[in-house]
Amino acid sequence: KEMCTFTSKEDVETLSHLLDELPIKSKTMQRGIKCPVTLWNINGLSKLLKTKKDLKIIIGVRNPVSWFQSFYNYRVTEMHDKNSVVKPPAPNKLIS
């Protein structure tokens, strides 16, 4: 299940449980989440920090062109998978 908002106590407890249950195959293996929405919501981030005392945050920055291409392709694929009757906009129409 994809989780990307950790605003409720149940969400945070579920995430904490999932992280604790992930197998560690070596001493150098790390567990984590990749979810930018967590940083946008101070309540979610605060709850995560309270639940996981040893939490470390790594912020990655992507090239904006490759990010846009990836995001656009993801959304087009999602529309296709849902059999959307609406055509996606042309990429050049989204660039201002």
Side-chain angles (χ1 to χ4, degrees):
K1 178 181 174 187
E2 184 174 310
M3 293 179 61
C4 209
T5 53
F6 307 108
T7 54
S8 74
K9 182 179 179 189
E10 292 78 22
D11 291 341
V12 173
E13 288 172 354
T14 300
L15 174 66
S16 180
H17 176 72
L18 288 172
L19 290 174
D20 289 340
E21 294 300 313
L22 284 172
I24 297 178
K25 297 178 182 172
S26 73
K27 292 182 180 184
T28 59
M29 183 177 177
Q30 298 293 314
R31 299 175 286 185
I33 59 170
K34 177 185 167 195
C35 180
V37 175
T38 304
L39 295 178
W40 298 337
N41 185 320
I42 193 67
N43 292 330
L45 189 56
S46 174
K47 288 177 181 161
L48 280 174
L49 289 168
K50 287 179 185 173
T51 303
K52 296 302 234 181
K53 301 292 184 199
D54 59 344
L55 179 72
K56 294 182 176 115
I57 297 174
I58 299 172
I59 299 175
V61 180
R62 284 182 73 178
N63 175 299
V65 174
S66 64
W67 175 86
F68 176 79
Q69 181 181 21
S70 173
F71 180 76
Y72 181 82
N73 290 338
Y74 173 79
R75 293 298 177 200
V76 169
T77 301
E78 185 179 53
M79 290 175 76
H80 179 268
D81 291 347
K82 292 181 178 180
N83 295 319
S84 175
V85 294
V86 178
K87 284 190 171 188
N92 61 334
K93 298 286 185 191
L94 301 173
I95 300 170
S96 55

